[in-house]
Amino acid sequence: MVVGLITHDAGKTTVARALISELVSRGYRVGVAKPVAGHNIWYQPASVRNSIENHILVGEDAVVLKKTSGSEDPLEAINPLDIALAPLDPIYYLRSLRSYEDAMASMISSAIMLRISICIERGINTAHYIVYRRLERIPSGVRRVVEDIALKVYPRPIAIDAEALEPLILEGYIASETCYRAIANRHQVMVIESFNNSASPLARLENIDAVIAVSPGKILIYDGLTYLKALKVVLDVEGSIHRRWWPTTSEVLRLISPLEIIDTPYIEDINLFGEFTENLTDKIISISKEAKA
């Protein structure tokens, strides 16, 4: 499992992609999972293209992981919960620009579309949602893009009020486990990418051999069983029943020590990054074999 030490741009997908590519080159059948994903329509135009081309709301990470692994699993199963964000129009906040900053920093306040996919025996049930009244509060250029996506995805989005967003996201977060269970046993190795700085992308997780915590320029590798025990301690001690969201990576990592700490080379230094990828893969395979021994 690959987790982030910071909220944004930790480098999770870059490290996951490198690990997947090396595992595939060594002959492993690799499955991938990005159970929860969020992307901003303004900053990530690739997510717009992906959504229109695949006729489902989907970000860049899931598409990259699927392509790198060669997995035949549907994108909806790889990434069952997807949240699209859009910038808000500041003209509605001119009397309180601090509120504008707060709203832009909040996923719940800036989410405009949502997809929830649930894997069942007969296939995958997918639903799209759109916060229709929020459309008028985003800049017109972005609004046209959102409307275009809404016309191209299937099934067509259901209009919801902003108040329904958080319960739906939590519902999708819990339901995402159905798709992970549906694809996990099909592969020799699973590489799971978390979202933001969440300690886990799934409400229930087991059989994790290794956890790679990523930050710019550095990664920390943890024993999977030790990590899951620490996650349980955080949930039990701090009362998960009262939580609105899952624990952060830092809440778990403060309780345990890494097996390895590795410097990450600058990605454009291809030779050094290739050597780094080989060494990382060797370490993960070794940890996995020890966990299964």
Side-chain angles (χ1 to χ4, degrees):
M1 180 167 68
V2 182
V3 300
L5 286 170
I6 57 177
T7 307
H8 300 292
D9 300 322
K12 295 188 299 296
T13 303
T14 298
V15 170
R17 183 182 182 183
L19 178 61
I20 292 163
S21 181
E22 181 65 21
L23 286 167
V24 169
S25 74
R26 297 187 188 192
Y28 287 91
R29 301 187 310 277
V30 182
V32 295
K34 175 78 176 180
V36 182
H39 50 92
N40 192 299
I41 289 171
W42 179 257
Y43 295 108
Q44 296 167 286
S47 67
V48 177
R49 294 193 297 272
N50 289 334
S51 299
I52 291 174
E53 289 173 4
N54 292 283
H55 304 291
I56 59 165
L57 189 68
V58 66
E60 189 173 4
D61 292 353
V63 173
V64 166
L65 296 182
K66 175 178 169 67
K67 183 177 180 180
T68 304
S69 67
S71 169
E72 295 182 357
D73 295 325
L75 276 171
E76 298 97 314
I78 291 171
N79 169 222
L81 174 59
D82 188 73
I83 307 157
L85 314 179
L88 303 169
D89 195 325
I91 65 168
Y92 296 99
Y93 298 87
L94 291 180
R95 294 180 181 273
S96 179
L97 286 175
R98 179 59 184 270
S99 297
Y100 173 70
E101 292 176 1
D102 292 342
M104 287 286 286
S106 166
M107 179 181 71
I108 296 296
S109 298
S110 57
I112 189 70
M113 291 185 69
L114 172 71
R115 174 179 55 81
I116 297 176
S117 296
I118 302 174
C119 294
I120 58 177
E121 288 185 8
R122 295 183 299 250
I124 304 175
N125 285 342
T126 290
H128 289 97
Y129 302 91
I130 184 167
V131 189
Y132 196 74
R133 292 183 179 177
R134 195 170 278 176
L135 275 175
E136 64 188 28
R137 287 184 168 264
I138 63 177
S140 59
V142 187
R143 187 188 313 144
R144 286 192 291 271
V145 175
V146 173
E147 290 171 340
D148 190 28
I149 295 173
L151 288 173
K152 300 294 173 56
V153 297
Y154 182 82
R156 294 287 185 266
I158 300 166
I160 59 170
D161 293 329
E163 292 75 17
L165 258 175
E166 189 167 355
L168 276 172
I169 290 173
L170 289 171
E171 176 186 315
Y173 180 51
I174 295 169
S176 64
E177 186 179 338
T178 64
C179 289
Y180 178 73
R181 302 298 172 199
I183 66 176
N185 293 329
R186 299 178 185 174
H187 306 279
Q188 190 176 6
V189 181
M190 284 294 296
V191 177
I192 312 162
E193 183 182 330
S194 190
F195 67 102
N196 293 352
N197 62 337
S198 176
S200 168
L202 295 165
R204 290 189 299 172
L205 197 59
E206 55 190 28
N207 299 327
I208 298 297
D209 294 336
V211 175
I212 304 172
V214 183
S215 66
K218 190 82 73 172
I219 66 171
L220 295 82
I221 304 176
Y222 294 83
D223 171 72
L225 180 59
T226 303
Y227 184 93
L228 293 180
K229 286 180 178 178
L231 175 58
K232 186 177 186 302
V233 168
V234 172
L235 291 172
D236 289 347
V237 171
E238 300 188 13
S240 62
I241 194 170
H242 301 297
R243 285 179 173 271
R244 297 174 69 188
W245 296 106
W246 203 239
T248 62
T249 305
S250 61
E251 291 179 84
V252 175
L253 297 189
R254 63 186 174 86
L255 302 177
I256 57 178
S257 299
L259 297 175
E260 299 272 356
I261 300 175
I262 304 175
D263 288 318
T264 309
Y266 189 59
I267 190 170
E268 290 191 6
D269 193 335
I270 301 301
N271 292 328
L272 286 177
F273 198 79
E275 182 180 344
F276 157 80
T277 301
E278 291 176 3
N279 291 337
L280 172 63
T281 306
D282 288 340
K283 292 180 186 299
I284 296 301
I285 290 173
S286 176
I287 292 169
S288 181
K289 287 181 178 178
E290 288 180 12
K292 289 178 169 58

